[in-house]
Amino acid sequence: MTAAVAAPPGATRGGSPARPLRMLIGIVGVAVVAWLTINLFLSVAWFPGVYFHSRPLMAVVGMIAGLGGAALLFYFANIFVESLPQRLAQGLIPYVFLLPAFGMITLMLLYPTVQTVNYSFANNDSTQYVGLANYSAIFRSEEFWLSITNNLLWLLIVPAVTVAIGVAVALFADRLSTQGEKVAKSFIFLPMAISFVGAATIWRLVYNLDADTGLLNAIITGFGGEAQDWLRFSTARLNSLLMMVILIWLQVGFAMILLSGAIKGVPEETLEAARLDGANERQIFFRVVIPQIRGTILTVFITVLILVLKVFDIVYVLTNGQARSNVIANMFFQELFTAQRAGQASAIVVVLLVLVLPVLFYQVRTFRQENR
Amino acid sequence: MSAATATGAKPVKPKKQPTYMKDGRPRSVASIVVMIVLALLWTIPTLGLLVTSFRPREDAATSGWWSAILNPFGAGWTLENYGGVLQGQDMAAGLLNSIVVAVPATILPIMFAAFAAYAFTFLEFPGRDTLFVVIVAVMVVPIQVAFQPMLDLLGPNGIGISGQFVAVWLLHTGFGMPLCLYTLRNYMSTLPTSVVESAKIDGASHYQTFWRLVAPMSMPAIAAFATLQFLWVWNDLLIAKLFLNPSNTTIIVQLQQLLGTQGQGEELVQAGAFISIIIPVLVFFALQRFFVRGLTSGAVKG
């Protein structure tokens, strides 16, 4: 860090417009800053003793190294680019600004995607190619098809229900007084801040099999029914449905925020015009409001859809896929860490990737249309 | 709740003529009733957590938490569960680890993404649309793809930082980058381009324009993303579980392990859950204003 800070005085000393010097300062600066930042980060990992094993200190060092490193890196890169002939500089500067962000995306998302596809054709130590063996193994596995069916159920139910409740909440909240709306909405979106694990913990109290301590069983026995072990109740996939309730409970707040904004943005004149034409409230809602907030509905739907495809924590914590409740992401985890079958685990991720592809194409297409 | 019930109490009497609110709209009794019911439904599960976490072990094992609410003075209350999880389960350390993981991992992606978003918004260059399409596409890619390759790369056979905080900062920075870039770029494109152009005429470099003009103006979007990323990192189970040593692990992983322990008292688990939930909830409500504004204006396109 200190050496990097010491570099700029050199820049002012050589203040003359001599461009080769600025170019040199830029290159040396970038190299020194990059070297120092990387080493600072590695030192936090490798030699915690240097930081007296103090975690807060490591966090502070990490932030300073990251933010300071990034700022100085761009600073020196800027000096370097500006020392070049103007036309070259103008052409180069956008790529310089993009490079670090794209470097990270390449390292942590693009390269691993390619590598995972690669691993999916290899054995469990990734030392030898085994052709399609991993795929044929998972396609022959009953658990895999069970997980796929469950995932499809989650996909069919959760986004649609979340959007429907979100619209309803936004609509009703819109008719409250300003203060009432604010308070009511806070209650709905409080769960947004809760982790999946925390939510599973909370809902465990509801689904507890003990009729004395489980809320759902207490209600059912109260009405003369019989207490059930809900999370193991696999008839009609009831346990999966009950876990979907948790995810919906978490996500409605997000849906409500976006949809409420959209509903408030619907021009009053269009509603007036519909009323003058004699439309009732129901017709106004379905024929006037819904078409105008269609874009937002799709955004919310897609966002929840992507989330649902990767649903893992809730299932992992509550049933770990037992009682016919497994999903793809949980099966991946089981294969990779419990069964230590890296090859099949990779094949499962590739299947997940393929399932995501239609959403990906849709997103890209929408983006292209919006930015034409 | 009190405010909602207060507004709900008044308009029940007159049946035919609707009463009116301050802003002149008619008061809708049906909406008030529906919202109260929904707010209750949404709150009851969390209330169960809160109540159970303050109950003695015997009570929590034999009677429902609602019985303690219905008879608050007859029921026993205790703070022992919190002491139990913070010390006995070492959740105090987990809480600290969560902060050490979440704060840098929230802040680090912003600087890199902001520069890139500036380039995407205000600079013309070949390949701009194609590169942004890559961002849009990558946002959808499940992070599961990264686990095995990144475990190899960061593990003992690679650079050997797996298990340390640095590994998790790096991963969250990478995984958060596409959304951060997307959010900031969408927000920046609502800023007036004339400001940037006049700065250029005044001879400011792009670096200066970014620092002096665009970064300060983008603060609402930065705050919105930071809230989202903080919640995401704090609440993450998978990355923390796979890439952190047991001594560095976060409170969410500890909670998951506590849940998996057979015969663990529900009151302890719920106290642990409350501790893990309270910080993100406070952050969320503190930054809610930015978050809602960021989401509804430009951060996510409607």
Side-chain angles (χ1 to χ4, degrees):
Chain A
M1 216 66 229
T2 46
V5 177
T12 41
R13 215 182 315 130
S16 67
R19 283 179 152 181
L21 184 60
R22 287 183 67 82
M23 190 191 280
L24 191 69
I25 290 170
I27 292 175
V28 171
V30 167
V32 168
V33 170
W35 185 83
L36 269 176
T37 310
I38 290 170
N39 277 291
L40 211 50
F41 272 117
L42 287 178
S43 75
V44 175
W46 287 345
F47 312 112
V50 175
Y51 304 95
F52 316 109
H53 295 278
S54 158
R55 279 145 206 208
L57 182 63
M58 291 187 212
V60 170
V61 169
M63 279 189 289
I64 292 174
L67 290 182
L72 284 171
L73 204 64
F74 283 115
Y75 174 77
F76 285 114
N78 195 56
I79 288 184
F80 166 70
V81 170
E82 287 191 338
S83 73
L84 298 169
Q86 182 141 23
R87 279 195 53 184
L88 192 57
Q90 288 299 334
L92 207 58
I93 196 94
Y95 300 105
V96 170
F97 279 12
L98 291 184
L99 192 66
F102 268 87
M104 296 243 187
I105 289 172
T106 310
L107 174 69
M108 268 167 282
L109 287 160
L110 297 179
Y111 153 76
T113 306
V114 175
Q115 188 67 285
T116 297
V117 175
N118 189 12
Y119 285 162
S120 75
F121 297 107
N123 65 4
N124 292 333
D125 309 321
S126 314
T127 47
Q128 210 173 2
Y129 285 107
V130 292
L132 291 170
N134 292 321
Y135 289 94
S136 67
I138 60 168
F139 289 146
R140 269 189 276 113
S141 136
E142 217 173 293
E143 190 75 3
F144 173 78
W145 292 109
L146 181 78
S147 304
I148 288 274
T149 331
N150 282 334
N151 258 78
L152 284 178
L153 269 180
W154 281 79
L155 284 176
L156 282 176
I157 295 171
V158 176
V161 174
T162 306
V163 167
I165 299 181
V167 170
V169 172
L171 212 60
F172 283 116
D174 197 38
R175 297 192 179 162
L176 299 182
S177 63
T178 320
Q179 191 59 33
E181 178 173 359
K182 232 175 108 184
V183 175
K185 279 179 168 177
S186 314
F187 281 97
I188 309 285
F189 67 43
L190 174 96
M192 267 184 81
I194 297 178
S195 61
F196 292 130
V197 182
T201 317
I202 289 173
W203 281 83
R204 215 167 75 136
L205 277 179
V206 178
Y207 297 148
N208 200 324
L209 75 153
D210 189 335
D212 289 327
T213 57
L215 183 59
L216 187 56
N217 275 331
I219 293 171
I220 285 183
T221 48
F223 282 107
E226 208 172 304
Q228 301 285 350
D229 190 351
W230 296 109
L231 292 171
R232 302 195 150 272
F233 196 97
S234 60
T235 313
R237 294 287 201 279
L238 187 68
N239 50 1
S240 290
L241 288 171
L242 290 174
M243 287 194 282
M244 290 177 206
V245 169
I246 303 176
L247 192 57
I248 294 167
W249 177 74
L250 285 171
Q251 292 298 313
V252 162
F254 162 76
M256 177 196 72
I257 291 179
L258 287 189
L259 292 164
S260 179
I263 287 177
K264 285 184 197 303
V266 171
E268 190 64 31
E269 303 89 71
T270 57
L271 304 179
E272 278 306 315
R275 274 192 203 111
L276 284 178
D277 289 345
N280 61 28
E281 287 298 312
R282 179 188 295 257
Q283 286 170 325
I284 289 177
F285 175 69
F286 283 106
R287 305 256 178 88
V288 182
V289 177
I290 289 283
Q292 293 191 69
I293 62 170
R294 204 175 137 261
T296 311
I297 288 180
L298 278 173
T299 307
V300 174
F301 190 88
I302 296 279
T303 312
V304 180
L305 191 82
I306 295 169
L307 186 84
V308 170
L309 259 176
K310 298 182 268 191
V311 65
F312 164 75
D313 306 29
I314 295 176
V315 177
Y316 175 66
V317 169
L318 285 179
T319 67
N320 196 14
Q322 287 167 5
R324 301 169 63 76
S325 65
N326 218 356
V327 289
I328 291 286
N330 191 55
M331 198 186 165
F332 158 75
F333 190 84
Q334 289 170 332
E335 286 293 323
L336 187 56
F337 296 101
T338 318
Q340 300 275 339
R341 285 193 289 253
Q344 292 189 31
S346 299
I348 291 173
V349 183
V350 173
V351 171
L352 190 59
L353 210 54
V354 171
L355 289 175
V356 172
L357 278 182
V359 185
L360 191 150
F361 286 129
Y362 173 82
Q363 290 285 79
V364 168
R365 211 193 62 185
T366 319
F367 170 76
R368 281 246 162 90
Q369 282 167 350
E370 274 170 9
N371 286 272
R372 189 151 289 161
Chain B
M1 205 64 243
S2 58
T5 29
T7 51
K10 253 190 267 168
V12 179
K13 280 173 277 164
K15 199 89 203 256
K16 274 274 145 51
Q17 302 127 325
T19 53
Y20 289 89
M21 297 186 289
K22 268 189 220 141
D23 52 8
R25 290 178 299 153
R27 207 179 279 282
S28 158
V29 181
S31 301
I32 292 170
V33 172
V34 169
M35 282 312 289
I36 289 176
V37 170
L38 279 173
L40 274 176
L41 273 179
W42 247 250
T43 316
I44 284 173
T46 322
L47 192 66
L49 163 128
L50 194 61
V51 172
T52 308
S53 74
F54 288 110
R55 301 186 77 202
R57 184 175 198 116
E58 298 268 293
D59 294 12
T62 52
S63 62
W65 57 267
W66 53 91
S67 66
I69 292 234
L70 297 174
N71 180 15
F73 298 106
W77 300 98
T78 176
L79 283 171
E80 262 173 40
N81 304 326
Y82 285 91
V85 281
L86 282 174
Q87 281 158 11
Q89 306 291 338
D90 212 19
M91 276 203 172
L95 199 61
L96 179 65
N97 288 339
S98 276
I99 297 170
V100 171
V101 165
V103 175
T106 303
I107 292 171
L108 292 179
I110 293 173
M111 179 85 85
F112 294 109
F115 270 99
Y118 175 88
F120 272 124
T121 318
F122 299 110
L123 304 178
E124 287 283 345
F125 56 93
R128 183 169 83 162
D129 285 353
T130 317
L131 284 175
F132 202 75
V133 162
V134 172
I135 302 289
V136 175
V138 156
M139 277 201 306
V140 184
V141 170
I143 59 166
Q144 274 89 351
V145 298
F147 290 155
Q148 215 199 332
M150 288 316 276
L151 278 170
D152 287 349
L153 205 63
L154 303 181
N157 299 328
I159 56 172
I161 60 168
S162 185
Q164 306 298 328
F165 294 118
V166 178
V168 181
W169 295 337
L170 182 75
L171 288 168
H172 281 300
T173 304
F175 296 150
M177 192 71 75
L179 181 69
C180 188
L181 229 170
Y182 185 77
T183 311
L184 292 182
R185 184 261 185 194
N186 276 352
Y187 188 85
M188 282 181 191
S189 59
T190 63
L191 299 176
T193 45
S194 55
V195 178
V196 175
E197 270 155 26
S198 60
K200 202 168 152 194
I201 293 165
D202 291 345
S205 72
H206 285 300
Y207 186 78
Q208 289 164 326
T209 315
F210 172 81
W211 275 115
R212 303 224 180 112
L213 287 170
V214 176
M217 282 161 85
S218 304
M219 266 327 197
I222 290 176
F225 170 78
T227 317
L228 203 65
Q229 173 82 351
F230 181 84
L231 291 182
W232 206 87
V233 173
W234 185 283
N235 290 337
D236 156 74
L237 171 70
L238 262 176
I239 296 172
K241 196 173 169 62
L242 300 184
F243 289 90
L244 281 178
N245 287 338
S247 65
N248 290 344
T249 208
T250 62
I251 193 161
I252 297 293
V253 177
Q254 286 184 328
L255 179 63
Q256 176 260 318
Q257 284 159 350
L258 198 61
L259 274 170
T261 317
Q262 284 297 320
Q264 194 58 259
E266 198 65 61
E267 75 291 341
L268 275 184
V269 175
Q270 300 299 334
F274 181 79
I275 296 170
S276 80
I277 285 168
I278 188 68
I279 289 182
V281 166
L282 289 178
V283 168
F284 182 64
F285 276 99
L287 293 174
Q288 176 194 335
R289 211 160 32 92
F290 294 106
F291 182 67
V292 172
R293 208 197 304 158
L295 269 184
T296 44
S297 71
V300 174
K301 276 196 172 172

